[in-house]
Amino acid sequence: MMEKILVSACLLGRPVRYNGSAKPLAHPSLERWRQEGRVVAICPELTAGFSVPRPPAEIAGGKDGHAVLAGSARVFEATGGDVTDLFVAGARAALALARQHDCRFALLIDGSPSCGSGFIHDGSFSGHRHPGAGVTATLLRDHGIEVFSDSEVEALERRLSPRA
Ligand code: SF4
């Protein structure tokens, strides 16, 4: 059976980021997975009800997705709105979609308070990043889904083809 892969919609070229842009990832492996029909696109934030454009958001206080899911950190928009509940809802929707398609792997764009898996921003909206994962990446991992960032396509490729 072909493994399906949950992929950030903005990596697939959909203009769903807060500023209305996409971050299309041009990689032959991703292109092949698309052609094979293995790609399941998700934008957790849009699925939760955010619109495009929207204010940028960060997990406050240098915390991470674990803390948000544990109820000990909040997600704020740069304009001050508390959007924690929507971020958690987006993560749950992503997990539900992954389960629906039996995805054991996800390829998510790094740095996002939802999709980040290696680094996120610290809540100061000043460009400071720190190691950690966003809310969606954390919830997926908590449920056994392996999350790879956009800089780890080769690692995901190897994981999908263990014979190589
Ligand atoms: Fe891309 Fe994820 Fe942000 Fe949606 S939530 S725009 S898929 S990084």
Side-chain angles (χ1 to χ4, degrees):
M1 187 200 79
M2 284 266 193
E3 293 272 3
K4 290 208 174 178
I5 308 156
L6 193 73
V7 181
S8 294
C10 57
L11 278 183
L12 297 167
R14 300 200 193 167
V16 292
R17 298 180 67 230
Y18 71 95
N19 59 4
S21 72
K23 272 206 177 176
L25 179 65
H27 192 291
S29 297
L30 181 57
E31 192 47 46
R32 199 181 68 250
W33 296 331
R34 284 172 101 155
Q35 286 169 5
E36 291 170 345
R38 303 166 74 166
V39 165
V40 178
I42 179 82
C43 174
E45 293 173 22
L46 252 61
T47 305
F50 284 100
S51 51
V52 182
R54 55 190 176 280
E58 295 187 3
I59 299 171
K63 295 191 174 173
D64 62 11
H66 280 295
V68 173
L69 291 168
S72 59
R74 313 293 298 172
V75 186
F76 287 104
E77 294 181 326
T79 45
D82 184 331
V83 287
T84 310
D85 292 349
L86 282 171
F87 271 68
V88 172
R92 289 192 179 134
L95 177 61
L97 187 68
R99 285 180 158 165
Q100 191 183 321
H101 290 274
D102 291 326
C103 298
R104 296 190 299 143
F105 303 98
L107 178 66
L108 304 182
I109 195 163
D110 219 348
S112 152
S114 293
C115 292
S117 59
F119 73 90
I120 50 175
H121 293 87
D122 70 357
S124 64
F125 296 98
S126 54
H128 291 148
R129 10 161 108 178
H130 64 100
V135 185
T136 292
T138 300
L139 189 69
L140 293 176
R141 282 177 170 159
D142 284 351
H143 290 82
I145 294 166
E146 292 184 42
V147 178
F148 295 80
S149 80
D150 50 302
S151 63
E152 297 173 325
V153 183
E154 283 81 11
L156 174 55
E157 177 78 78
R158 285 194 298 276
R159 194 69 186 79
L160 287 164
S161 316
R163 69 189 176 280

